[in-house]
Structures are given as C-alpha cells and as structure tokens.
Amino acid sequence: MASSNSRNGSHDQSLPTPRFVHTDVLSAYSTGCSPSTPDAYIRALARQYPINSASDNQPRPAIAIADYGLHSAVKTAMACDREGVDLLVALRVRVVAQRAYRTWGERTGELILLGMDETGWLSLVGLTNRGFLGGADRGRPRVDWRDLEAFNEGVIALTGMPGGGGILSAAIEHSANPAEPIEALGLTRRLMELYPNRLYLELAFHGNSAEKLVNRGLVALAQRMELPLVATGGVRFARPEDALAHKFLEAIGRGTLTAGVLGHNGRDGYDLPTITVESARAQAYLKSPKQMWRLFAQMPAALQASVEIAERCTFRLPPARSKLTDSRAQRLGPALLFALRAGPRDEPATARRARRTRAARSLCRDRPG
C-alpha cells in the first residue's frame, strides 16, 4: 500500500518521511540571484524539522548553499550551528573553454561543487581565488578546464540546474534528439575523468518545458554512462511568498522589464499594474522532504542520492563545530579558511623581534664603509 501511494504521488501520514537534502541553493550573497539570506534558508529548514520526541534519534538536517563565492560560508556555518543544521560547503562556478578577462561571446555552463573533506575545502577556495582573480564578471567567478583539473581533489560535482545554466543543458537542448543526446557524451566523459565516482547528474523540475526536456536527456545519459542521478529543488528563495521579489531581482540583473506586469487604467486615469508570477518560477522555494518525495516519486534513487552526497561530505567549518577539540579548529588561521600555508604567524613575538634584530645587525656589519 505504501509503495502504491508513493507511485500516485501521495504519502502515508503514519509513515516517517524519508530524508532529503537540498544541494542546489542560491542565496542573496550571489548578487541579483536571490532575495533570501542564508539565515532565512536555515530558519525555513529548521521549521521543517520540528523538535519532538520522535526527532531525538533522527539525523540532523543538512543543506548545501552553493553561491558564486565562499564569502558567506562562515556566517552560514554559524547560523547552522545555532539551529542544529549541518552545512555542506559548496561553490557554484561557471565553466568556460578558456578563462580570459574579455567575456565577449563566451558560452558558460555551471557546476555545483561540494567539499568532501579538508582537501575538498581547499580545492573550493583555490577555485574561488582563480575564478575572481582570473576575470570574474557581474561578481561571478569564471574558471576553465585547467582550473578544474588543478583543484578537483576531494570535490563532488553536480552538473547544475537543467534548463537553467547547467553545464550539460545547452548540449542537450540543441541536440538533434534530446532524448538521446549524443552531443553531450564527450562533455560528460570529460567530467567523469575529472571527478571519478564523484559526478552526479542533477535533476530539477519547476514545471518548465525546457527543464522537462533536459531531464529526459539527463536520464538517458545516466543510463548510458552508468552515472548516478540526484534530485534537487533548484532553490532560489526560502519561502513561496518570496517568488515576486526573486522575479524582480532577475529582471534587474538582466536589465530588462519584468515580464508578467499587465497594466490597465483605473478610475483616476492612472495605470494600475497587476503583477503576477508564473507557476514555474514560483516553485523554486525550499521545499520540504515530503514535497520533494511527492515531486520525484518515480525516481526514489535520485532522492536518496542527495542523502548519499550529504553523508560523503564530512567536512564542517570550525564555527559549526559545537566542540572544538583539535588546535586547528580552536584557532581559525589562514591555512584553513583561505588555503594559505601556515607560516610565521605561529612564531612568538619575542622570537620574531630577536630574529629581525639579528638580521639588521648582520646587514650593518656587511655594509661597506
């Protein structure tokens, strides 16, 4: 009976809801992409997991906020620690054929990268540095294949939002047969070489026809290449009522008028706009596990893959650790947060002054005259 209910899109209220972890979330720290801050996401997620007697033995909820940069990672980790949520460190990058300062005519595809361990975190930091220093535009890092090859250790890769900028979306949409996208095979093999056993093809659906087309092609690719699929919410705002704010932010970022604004004349002769949000865009909020399992009831393995990714990503930023045991966690040095090597910062001040004094005296003795 339970399996029949799942196939019909319903769920037995007497049974516990299976786990689900959001791995594709954009926050307000990505300029012009979301009206919701990481705090808003964490609060919305915590409300989906009420604290009661049944939750004592349940695993902690988890979330991966993948922005264009890591500048919100520490604040997000602190918010997660307050609410009892595990933060999976993640980064969203745009991949180009060859990174350059001039961006004319470039075709970009997005990847979502999650750090599995400390090595993976340092890889994300390295990609962030390369992406911004090598010619970011509109506040979004751009990396090329050489950068991905240099910083791929300890990283899990998701292929990005289908129909919304994912790295495989364009190849599938422009394929002669999107249900069998032969044109995307070469790109998929290249990603498999970079991320062996760490590549997931991302599925998401907001009711858009382009997403449905790309999802079919991704399922065909997964079957042909024996790759795992992962279902995501393609989250762009925390609550359903934030859909309108997200729509205006998108229009501002594009520099265009907001579609869906219909005008008519009122009694005083002024134009009174009526603002609507299409249902596809309104679905990009932080759905509960029950809603996600209802949406992807036909693909339970893709839903379970989100939990598998969360279990593989064991790295937590020090602010999110409730008990700091090791010395590296007690002191947030640049070696951990900014991928720099530990250096003279650990040298006592007296020894540093003595070393500089000896160097100055040696220089004076060696100076001629």
Side-chain angles (χ1 to χ4, degrees):
M1 181 66 68
S3 61
S4 176
N5 289 339
S6 298
R7 285 193 296 269
N8 294 331
S10 60
H11 182 75
D12 190 351
Q13 299 295 329
S14 62
L15 298 177
T17 303
R19 288 189 68 197
F20 174 80
V21 178
H22 283 283
T23 53
D24 183 355
V25 182
L26 262 172
S27 81
Y29 279 89
S30 296
T31 306
C33 295
S34 172
S36 301
T37 64
D39 283 337
Y41 281 121
I42 303 308
R43 289 195 299 269
L45 182 64
R47 286 194 294 267
Q48 297 175 3
Y49 292 84
I51 299 176
N52 50 41
S53 58
S55 63
D56 293 340
N57 298 325
Q58 298 297 322
R60 285 159 52 110
I63 190 171
I65 297 182
D67 281 320
Y68 296 104
L70 298 172
H71 36 287
S72 67
V74 175
K75 291 183 178 180
T76 308
M78 296 175 67
C80 288
D81 188 45
R82 289 194 300 266
E83 298 290 345
V85 175
D86 285 335
L87 174 65
L88 314 180
V89 292
L91 174 68
R92 189 183 306 267
V93 295
R94 296 181 303 143
V95 183
V96 296
Q98 185 174 2
R99 176 169 41 82
Y101 285 100
R102 296 185 178 183
T103 61
W104 303 324
E106 279 187 341
R107 294 184 179 180
T108 63
E110 289 188 356
L111 276 178
I112 298 175
L113 307 175
L114 296 94
M116 301 171 62
D117 48 24
E118 186 172 325
T119 301
W121 164 254
L122 297 182
S123 295
L124 298 186
V125 174
L127 283 173
T128 302
N129 295 339
R130 288 283 184 90
F132 279 106
L133 296 176
D137 63 314
R138 294 179 297 168
R140 303 177 185 179
R142 296 157 51 252
V143 299
D144 57 23
W145 293 95
R146 295 172 299 177
D147 299 327
L148 294 178
E149 186 176 359
F151 299 99
N152 65 345
E153 295 184 9
V155 171
I156 289 177
L158 276 60
T159 54
M161 179 73 181
I167 195 168
L168 296 177
S169 296
I172 295 176
E173 288 182 10
H174 297 96
S175 175
N177 182 10
E180 292 289 338
I182 305 300
E183 291 81 355
L185 290 179
L187 186 56
T188 306
R189 291 193 181 98
R190 194 171 187 180
L191 291 170
M192 291 173 64
E193 293 175 358
L194 282 174
Y195 306 101
N197 300 320
R198 291 178 279 124
L199 177 65
Y200 292 79
L201 304 187
E202 177 181 346
L203 302 177
F205 185 62
H206 298 152
N208 192 305
S209 57
E211 295 172 351
K212 183 182 295 185
L213 180 72
V214 176
N215 282 336
R216 290 179 179 174
L218 291 171
V219 172
L221 276 176
Q223 294 175 348
R224 180 161 184 167
M225 309 297 290
E226 297 182 354
L227 287 171
L229 294 163
V230 59
T232 71
V235 181
R236 300 299 178 262
F237 43 90
R239 305 170 303 167
E241 51 265 36
D242 297 329
L244 184 59
H246 174 252
K247 184 174 183 179
F248 273 92
L249 276 178
E250 278 192 330
I252 293 172
R254 293 193 302 265
T256 59
L257 295 177
T258 306
V261 179
L262 307 177
H264 61 87
N265 292 327
R267 294 179 180 178
D268 53 1
Y270 290 101
D271 186 51
L272 300 177
T274 302
I275 304 174
T276 60
V277 180
E278 58 182 290
S279 59
R281 294 182 183 273
Q283 295 301 313
Y285 65 93
L286 192 76
K287 294 183 174 66
S288 66
K290 184 180 298 185
Q291 291 172 313
M292 291 301 300
W293 276 85
R294 186 181 300 119
L295 181 62
F296 288 94
Q298 302 292 335
M299 308 190 70
L303 292 159
Q304 293 166 0
S306 69
V307 180
E308 175 188 323
I309 291 174
E311 292 174 349
R312 296 180 69 180
C313 296
T314 59
F315 177 77
R316 301 290 181 266
L317 281 173
R321 300 177 186 172
S322 54
K323 294 183 179 180
L324 302 179
T325 55
D326 57 330
S327 59
R328 288 184 301 175
Q330 292 174 3
R331 182 172 182 179
L332 302 181
L336 184 60
L337 292 182
F338 302 106
L340 302 177
R341 295 185 179 274
R345 66 179 181 86
D346 296 324
E347 186 180 12
T350 55
R352 187 162 55 249
R353 285 195 296 269
R355 177 174 53 80
R356 291 176 178 174
T357 301
R358 290 194 301 269
R361 290 175 178 173
S362 175
L363 182 62
C364 291
R365 288 196 301 266
D366 296 339
R367 183 175 297 173

